[in-house]
Amino acid sequence: MNPSYPSYPSSRPRRLRRTPALRRLATQVRLHPADLILPLFVREGATDPVPVGSMPGVVQHTPETLRKAATEAVQAGVGGLMLFGVPASRDATGSGGIDPNGVLNVALRTLRSELGDATVLMSDLCLDEFTDHGHCGLLAADGSVDNDATLLRYAEMAVAQAAAGADVVGPSGMMDGQVGAIRAALDGAGHTDVAVLAYSAKYASAFYGPFREAVESSLCGDRMSYQQDPARSVDEALREVALDLAEGADLVMVKPAMSYLDVVRRVADAVDVPVAAYQVSGEYAMVEAAAARGWIDRDRVITETLTSVRRAGADVVLTYWATEVARRLSPR
Ligand code: PBG
């Protein structure tokens, strides 16, 4: 140390930043294709893929393009696929979700036969895509969402999805007791091996806006009476997670991701099952919109967002960029 400058530091974090090789060695959070799950939309009766305006690069698939996109994702090494259906018609009780010939169940069967066990097939287990009122549950006479009547419907839906080939069902409706009801129904129908990815801590978020275009949601109003209030403390999320685990959840999810990294961290510290985080449609749209204007470096921002979600403790990330990022990570 230079004696005339006693304040020169001996501890220098910059030593490990000097060269790309040093930085690579010092990396502690690494993205891997298998940690990424690709959400996919399939539209009943579509003959051409329909672009989702607020999600540039994302489409509502036809059965044929769904198969292609799924195969490409699997070839790129992504860890799994999460399927959402866009039905041609809707009704008050969301019967399309239970119908074995409903768009989502047909897509599950198609991909199961196409892909075998090469990937993890997951299905969104919720009524909002199938109801004409757009809520995630059945409505009571007064227009409120009827929790316990909805559970019966979710139970039927779980069995239909399992029968169609889902490895994992993803209840995203935030009804109390949904995981327990689904687990019991799956077990009762002999689907003991089908896992439940619980959307445990799902917030009533404005970041879902573009998704609602993607599924052509007919929702008026909001989901504040069942999804979590962003203004509650993280303790409420931990309570939701604990309930879901007690009811038999195999994996738990926090959603959205980027504005809820504190929740991701606390959940990851609290549980011993894999933790998922959903980088939702609005997070995707913001980055794409800013990048299209040349305001941010798109690829670097994508990597940075995914890295921060993993650094916060998520084991897996649902992201609409899954295939692209997986390819970038393992160039071939
Ligand atoms: C509900 C559901 C939603 C999303 C996934 N499942 C929307 C909502 O709760 O309103 C949002 C996903 C996204 O924004 O990317 N079935």
Side-chain angles (χ1 to χ4, degrees):
M1 176 148 351
N2 186 330
S4 55
Y5 295 100
S7 63
Y8 271 2
S10 57
S11 181
R12 291 180 181 266
R14 286 187 56 192
R15 279 185 202 117
L16 293 183
R17 300 175 193 152
R18 188 171 53 84
T19 66
L22 279 162
R23 294 195 291 274
R24 188 178 61 208
L25 181 77
T27 296
Q28 293 174 305
V29 179
R30 233 179 271 278
L31 298 177
H32 189 282
D35 301 329
L36 306 175
I37 296 173
L38 177 68
L40 288 163
F41 302 101
V42 57
R43 186 183 212 271
E44 189 165 32
T47 48
D48 288 303
V50 182
V52 179
S54 52
M55 301 177 73
V58 173
V59 301
Q60 297 173 334
H61 284 288
T62 72
E64 199 44 52
T65 64
L66 176 75
R67 217 174 357 212
K68 186 159 170 286
T71 303
E72 285 172 1
V74 173
Q75 280 168 356
V78 307
L81 308 172
M82 172 64 81
L83 292 189
F84 294 91
V86 186
S89 67
R90 300 164 193 228
D91 61 25
T93 60
S95 27
I98 282 90
D99 183 353
N101 295 317
V103 59
L104 183 51
N105 294 323
V106 169
L108 283 168
R109 274 202 303 278
T110 307
L111 292 189
R112 170 61 64 213
S113 72
E114 178 84 11
L115 299 167
D117 282 335
T119 191
V120 180
L121 259 191
M122 310 186 197
S123 52
D124 185 55
L125 202 173
C126 194
L127 286 173
D128 65 313
E129 290 103 36
F130 295 98
T131 52
D132 51 14
H133 46 75
H135 274 293
C136 296
L138 303 183
L139 299 187
D142 66 358
S144 65
V145 174
D146 184 336
N147 194 88
D148 297 5
T150 302
L151 295 184
L152 296 172
R153 207 68 176 156
Y154 285 177
E156 292 176 85
M157 216 172 157
V159 173
Q161 294 181 347
D167 293 304
V168 178
V169 295
S172 63
M174 288 300 279
M175 295 301 126
D176 292 332
Q178 63 184 10
V179 172
I182 288 165
R183 184 71 269 158
L186 288 171
D187 292 348
H191 298 295
T192 49
D193 290 337
V194 171
V196 178
L197 163 57
Y199 285 59
S200 301
K202 178 174 177 182
Y203 288 84
S205 171
F207 287 103
Y208 307 148
F211 174 94
R212 298 202 184 147
E213 182 194 344
V215 298
E216 299 171 34
S217 171
S218 38
L219 181 71
C220 306
D222 60 50
R223 306 198 198 286
M224 291 297 290
S225 79
Y226 41 105
Q227 298 179 346
Q228 286 173 253
D229 185 341
R232 290 290 300 271
S233 104
V234 178
D235 292 340
E236 192 202 28
L238 295 179
R239 179 160 172 244
E240 289 276 8
V241 165
L243 287 168
D244 284 354
L245 289 175
E247 291 174 26
D250 299 286
L251 313 92
V252 295
M253 192 200 291
V254 174
K255 179 184 177 183
M258 202 154 75
S259 292
Y260 296 85
L261 295 181
D262 53 338
V263 182
V264 173
R265 169 46 62 197
R266 292 273 306 274
V267 170
D269 285 345
V271 306
D272 55 10
V273 297
V275 174
Y278 199 142
Q279 181 175 62
V280 301
S281 56
E283 300 179 65
Y284 176 92
M286 286 194 303
V287 172
E288 292 289 351
R293 284 158 183 75
W295 291 348
I296 55 174
D297 179 333
R298 179 181 177 278
D299 292 0
R300 286 190 60 202
V301 167
I302 291 172
T303 301
E304 189 173 331
T305 60
L306 291 169
T307 301
S308 59
V309 177
R310 293 269 295 113
R311 192 186 61 235
D315 298 294
V316 293
V317 188
L318 288 89
T319 173
Y320 299 97
W321 290 303
T323 303
E324 175 187 330
V325 172
R327 284 188 180 134
R328 210 190 295 154
L329 291 170
S330 43
R332 59 194 67 222

